Amino acid sequence: MHTAYRAETLIDAHLVKDALERAGIPAFIAGEYLTGGVGQLPAIDYVAVMVPESARDEAAPVVAEVERALAVSRVEAASWENGPDLDGPLPA
């Protein structure tokens, strides 16, 4: 198995796993159940999305696209000073 993505959060890991599976690439989240063992501590380097070695090259662009979307979302969320403008249009 190849580590295709090291997740910051369990939600990020599931987003990547779901995107890979939609692309027809089997994926597995390693360390998913270890997060409960660390409690409130950040689960850095515990959670990773794994793919078969044979799918390594095919998985890379899918993972890169999800990483890009997550980065954009984080930047947009950080720019909301007092939360989103719920009366205006949602960010693209």
Side-chain angles (χ1 to χ4, degrees), residues 2-39:
H2 168 71
T3 301
Y5 180 73
R6 289 217 178 266
E8 242 181 80
T9 69
L10 191 54
I11 293 170
D12 293 354
H14 276 279
L15 289 171
V16 170
K17 178 181 181 277
D18 291 347
L20 288 166
E21 289 178 340
R22 280 193 311 274
I25 303 167
F28 169 77
I29 298 177
E32 179 172 14
Y33 300 108
L34 293 175
T35 59
V38 295

Side-chain angles (χ1 to χ4, degrees), residues 39-54:
Q40 297 296 323
L41 299 174
I44 297 171
D45 282 339
Y46 290 115
V47 181
V49 179
M50 312 289 287
V51 297
E53 282 292 334
S54 61

